Amino acid sequence: LYEQLMQAGVEVLYDDREATPGVKFADADLIGVPLRVTVSTRSLERGGVELKRRDSAETAIVPMEDAVRRVQEEITRLYREVGERKWGAIIGL
């Protein structure tokens, strides 16, 4: 998945440290990673990888074969939302 995302032009931070998932998730939030993709035994048992946006408490299990497309869609959605927020601030909405 890492290689597929990189080939698709997605900037990936691959956290392979010997730390607990909670520590890794907290660090990702601290540095502002907008989208988290978690590949774990539990997510694979549930049918794929776990996708979570930093600005949401919701998670989604995405089949591995759809993961690159869904990550790209979420990134596009995030860029669009940030652009809309920025524009709204400029025009005073």
Side-chain angles (χ1 to χ4, degrees), residues 38-50 61-62 64:
T38 304
V39 180
S40 67
T41 302
R42 190 169 88 186
S43 72
L44 293 171
E45 288 172 353
R46 293 176 61 201
V49 300
E50 182 182 272
I61 297 296
V62 176
M64 186 69 78

Side-chain angles (χ1 to χ4, degrees), residues 1 12-14 18 20 31-33 36-37 41 51 64 66-67 73 77 83-84 86-87:
L1 180 57
V12 179
L13 171 63
Y14 178 45
E18 292 291 327
T20 65
I31 63 173
V33 175
R36 188 175 75 210
V37 180
T41 302
L51 244 56
M64 186 69 78
D66 295 336
E73 289 172 358
R77 191 172 293 118
E84 289 170 1
K86 188 175 183 180
W87 181 251

Side-chain angles (χ1 to χ4, degrees), residues 61-72:
I61 297 296
V62 176
M64 186 69 78
E65 59 270 11
D66 295 336
V68 172
R69 179 184 57 80
R70 286 288 302 275
V71 166
Q72 289 174 315

Side-chain angles (χ1 to χ4, degrees), residues 46-61:
R46 293 176 61 201
V49 300
E50 182 182 272
L51 244 56
K52 182 187 179 305
R53 284 178 48 155
R54 183 171 181 261
D55 64 349
S56 174
E58 294 180 32
T59 62
I61 297 296

